[in-house]
Amino acid sequence: MKQLLCTVMCLSIMAACINESGQTPIADTGKVIAPDEGTKHMATRLATFYENLSPLASPYKNAERAHAFKSQAAQANPNQRASLEMRAAMEELLAGNTQKAIQEFETLKNMIAQVNNPANAAGIRMINEFLAVCYLRLGEQTNCQDNHSPTSCIIPLSDEAMHIQKEGSMKAIEMILEVLNSNPQDENFIYILNLAYMTLGQYPDGVPPPYLRKMTGKESPNLIPFFKNKAAELGIDDYRLSGGVVIDDFNNDHLLDIAISSWSLLHPIKIYYNRGNGEFEENNAELLQGITGGLNLIHTDYNNDGFLDLYVLRGGWLKQGPPNSLLRNNGDESFTDVTYETGLSAAHPTQTAVWADFNNDGFLDLYIANESSTAGAHPNELYINQDGKAFINNAQELGAAQMLYCKGTATSDYDHDGDMDIYISVLKGPNYLLQNQLTETGELKFVNKANELGVNEPMESFPCWFFDANNDGWDDIFVSGYSTSNYNQYASEWTKAINGKAFSTSPPKIYINNQKGGFIDKSVSYGFNTPCFTMGANFGDINADNLPDIYLATGEPDYKAVIPNRMFLNIEGSKYTEVTTQGGFGHIQKGHAVSFADIDNDGDEDVYCVLGGAYEGDVFFNALFENPHKVSAWVKFKLQGTASNKAALGTRIILKTQLKGIITQYHSSISNSSSFGENPFVKNFSLQENEKPLSLDIVWPSGHREQILGLKRNTLHIITEKNDNVALIEIPTYKIPEIPAGHQHHHH
């Protein structure tokens, strides 16, 4: 029984360290795979990789882990049997088999109670903690999943989102109160106690006064309207685990499509094609079958053929990953895996990469930031594009092979010297800013300037990007955190912060470009003095002022970390203020990749968020928050390079408009946007009533500069480098249908 008590005291909901791995690498033959065989070869390798993944060594094959622990328990001595049964019960919870987990925890609790040993009281308290989480999760499953509605799990909960099946929350409250009787200062459980009361419509009045906490932060009212979740109406509420999203036009019909991944190797890549009438068609061509997994997606046009390709990133959080995939767009709504054909088949764990033309030869190169727990295990990779046909990794000789646990990466010509630089966020340690020192003779070299320029924090970082926060034409840096030092304490840290108590998690950083080759830390003055436990994140414009707002999505695997995703509004380029609650963005399910895009072509940007966690049972419905603004007019631009890369990545633009005699400039650039979630390469600008678009100034990556006149409102402009003929395209606007209020039953 002492062995059981020790096990109970030591185990946490995480069940396993994030760095555990059981992958069995599959050797490559080194031969070139023919294009028509590349997809089949990758599908076979991914399937074999998954089959060879030991459930006892991988923390994410939860159902198989539960079975394995039970099999071991049946052959173990009594003390070992109890601890193995405990682990099996935890795995059942993580696998989504919550009722079975509850039964097994209750059996263990009764077994401990029957033994007359004062020390076992601590074991019972710990099992009560597990049961509290089990019942909380049961409430989520029987209501937010089985009786899903567009407002499910968005706090503060609306009447529509209240739990119909009350057993889970009621039993969770019972267990949590027992836990707090022993440890009344545990803010993790105080948070989920308040949440459980909220799901029953009993917050705040029903919460015992010593445990009552604020559940949302303070906001200035009436800054934005409420954004409704319309994913179900469009059939794009993908119901899977954490993953990536890219929104852009994949079939060149001038409508925005949606590509989505889920990190499970059992889940295929999905592409939803926009048919322009409020309908999206899921079209996974036969050639794409078997191409599974992917914690992140980024898009590109690696071969300059005018069709956007996809790059799938795998192996994040694991010591040994399966290979990533380069999916070539065939132009007919099908894709071919050309990973082996192009020389990109190296297998390292990663979830972040970025495309840019680092040597200015007109073809996009690929930088991959890998995850190394030990120095040299998985160096970063810089693949130089060989005229759209193949890639060669030159990271080591170019000074770009930092051996770090990297989580995010982004590119920009931040110093305006005509070449693309790289920012890299690191989970534990200083971040990197690799300055591109490309010579006039074409020699490429990178030098880390992060420490010198003071942009190396936070020391526990995750998503990052370059963007122009203050609309001055110079890219700034945003980098958010993911506190491993507070792992499994995110609910506690969040509760402390919004209730005015001291917290220990580093807030995000925003570094403003000083236009002299350096940056100024403006994090506090810009409003980022609160902990944000961020995995997915992105920037876009939610109030039609053409300034970048920020959505941060939380994603820690711990089932107690059901804290809200957060939206921050850009105020005149000088600060950010939170608008999470008033905008309806406070989703508490695990948030991952985010994309801002004008899905319905009405001139304002909607927000898509991938929801779902890491463990097998932590699935949820993705959300699309429809922008309710009534934009008077808009103007859109799609740029196509000739001397520059076809997708025009790295291009800077300035839109000049006139309203009541006043000329305004809006600055933007074309990039892979965030390191976790991607916006369209098509640029959208909202216009006020009577605001006239005058001109678009363009600085192409090739160095060519030009100005486009004769702009039209409510029109997509397709602009080709060094070509005076601008194509003017009228694209249809459609209204996203309404589904009557009430819970929607889904069968996925």
Side-chain angles (χ1 to χ4, degrees), residues 360-663:
N360 287 345
D361 68 348
F363 286 90
L364 291 170
D365 311 304
L366 174 64
Y367 187 76
I368 307 172
N370 293 316
E371 299 177 0
S372 292
S373 298
T374 57
H378 299 287
N380 293 352
E381 302 157 90
L382 176 56
Y383 288 97
I384 301 300
N385 195 325
Q386 308 297 303
D387 298 332
K389 300 178 178 63
F391 294 86
I392 296 176
N393 180 17
N394 288 337
Q396 192 68 47
E397 51 266 45
L398 297 179
Q402 275 66 35
M403 301 170 189
L404 312 161
Y405 207 93
C406 303
K407 299 308 296 181
T409 185
T411 61
S412 166
D413 181 10
Y414 78 88
D415 49 8
H416 287 198
D417 66 350
D419 49 45
M420 299 298 289
D421 313 296
I422 308 172
Y423 189 81
I424 307 164
S425 68
V426 179
L427 188 64
K428 292 183 180 181
N431 300 327
Y432 280 71
L433 176 58
L434 300 184
Q435 184 187 59
N436 189 339
Q437 299 185 347
L438 182 67
T439 67
E440 293 183 359
T441 58
E443 296 179 7
L444 189 60
K445 179 184 178 182
F446 290 89
V447 175
N448 180 27
K449 295 284 187 176
N451 295 338
E452 174 186 337
L453 299 180
V455 295
N456 57 357
E457 294 182 350
M459 291 297 170
E460 295 182 307
S461 299
F462 208 118
C464 63
W465 58 71
F466 285 98
F467 71 155
D468 191 353
N470 57 359
N471 193 39
D472 66 352
W474 293 74
D475 275 349
D476 314 302
I477 297 172
F478 180 87
V479 53
S480 195
Y482 184 84
S483 178
T484 57
S485 58
N486 285 306
Y487 211 68
N488 290 351
Q489 297 296 317
Y490 285 8
S492 174
E493 287 284 282
W494 158 254
T495 305
K496 291 175 184 177
I498 64 172
N499 285 276
K501 297 182 179 181
F503 55 87
S504 58
T505 300
S506 297
K509 288 288 187 180
I510 186 165
Y511 299 107
I512 299 300
N513 198 317
N514 66 6
Q515 304 185 21
K516 300 176 182 178
F519 295 86
I520 303 172
D521 184 349
K522 291 289 189 74
S523 307
V524 174
S525 65
Y526 267 70
F528 288 102
N529 54 358
T530 180
C532 298
F533 310 101
T534 314
M535 275 198 175
N538 213 331
F539 60 92
D541 179 17
I542 63 169
N543 62 340
D545 64 354
N546 299 317
L547 295 174
D549 311 304
I550 294 174
Y551 192 43
L552 304 180
T554 58
E556 191 203 3
D558 179 16
Y559 278 1
K560 298 187 300 298
V562 279
I563 59 177
N565 301 332
R566 306 175 71 179
M567 181 69 80
F568 293 87
L569 189 70
N570 188 322
I571 306 298
E572 297 180 348
S574 62
K575 67 176 182 178
Y576 282 86
T577 188
E578 186 160 8
V579 291
T580 300
T581 300
Q582 62 193 278
F585 295 106
H587 212 299
I588 60 173
Q589 290 297 317
K590 308 300 169 53
H592 286 79
V594 174
S595 180
F596 288 74
D598 183 9
I599 290 289
D600 48 4
N601 295 327
D602 63 354
D604 52 36
E605 293 184 355
D606 314 294
V607 184
Y608 191 92
C609 184
V610 174
L611 296 162
Y615 297 121
E616 286 179 343
D618 202 2
V619 294
F620 206 75
F621 301 93
N622 294 351
L624 172 69
F625 298 102
E626 182 191 19
N627 196 323
H629 278 89
K630 304 298 181 184
V631 175
S632 296
W634 48 265
V635 60
K636 299 178 190 289
F637 302 99
K638 179 178 180 179
L639 275 62
Q640 298 177 335
T642 51
S644 304
N645 66 89
K646 182 79 169 184
L649 288 177
T651 304
R652 300 199 310 271
I653 60 175
I654 306 172
L655 173 66
K656 294 179 182 178
T657 68
Q658 186 176 48
L659 178 64
K660 297 180 180 179
I662 298 175
I663 294 178

Side-chain angles (χ1 to χ4, degrees), residues 87-147:
R87 296 205 69 178
M90 293 174 62
E91 295 300 333
E92 294 289 6
L93 169 63
L94 300 177
N97 302 322
T98 308
Q99 289 281 17
K100 184 181 290 188
I102 290 171
Q103 294 171 3
E104 294 180 4
F105 279 124
E106 291 284 8
T107 299
L108 287 164
K109 182 178 177 180
N110 292 335
M111 185 172 66
I112 294 175
Q114 292 172 9
V115 177
N116 186 17
N117 185 337
N120 284 344
I124 291 176
R125 286 199 302 271
M126 185 64 76
I127 288 183
N128 284 340
E129 292 185 8
F130 289 125
L131 284 170
V133 176
C134 284
Y135 281 116
L136 184 77
R137 185 62 184 159
L138 180 65
E140 293 175 290
Q141 289 175 314
T142 57
N143 293 277
C144 304
Q145 292 180 352
D146 296 344
N147 271 326

Side-chain angles (χ1 to χ4, degrees), residues 293-347:
L295 193 52
N296 200 4
L297 291 174
I298 58 175
H299 66 317
T300 182
D301 182 0
Y302 80 94
N303 56 359
N304 286 348
D305 68 350
F307 288 94
L308 295 175
D309 314 298
L310 282 170
Y311 193 66
V312 186
L313 294 144
R314 301 188 179 96
W317 297 118
L318 302 173
K319 286 185 177 180
Q320 181 78 41
N324 304 322
S325 281
L326 177 59
L327 304 180
R328 185 188 66 210
N329 189 333
N330 298 320
D332 58 359
E333 297 191 356
S334 73
F335 288 77
T336 298
D337 194 308
V338 294
T339 307
Y340 294 92
E341 176 188 351
T342 55
L344 294 174
S345 60

Side-chain angles (χ1 to χ4, degrees), residues 23-24 26 44-55 58 60-62 64 264-266 292 322 616:
Q23 279 83 351
T24 301
I26 302 171
T44 299
R45 185 169 184 195
L46 293 174
T48 304
F49 180 93
Y50 184 80
E51 291 172 5
N52 290 347
L53 188 61
S54 166
S58 170
Y60 306 112
K61 296 183 82 170
N62 304 112
E64 291 185 41
S264 171
L265 287 174
L266 299 178
T292 59
E616 286 179 343

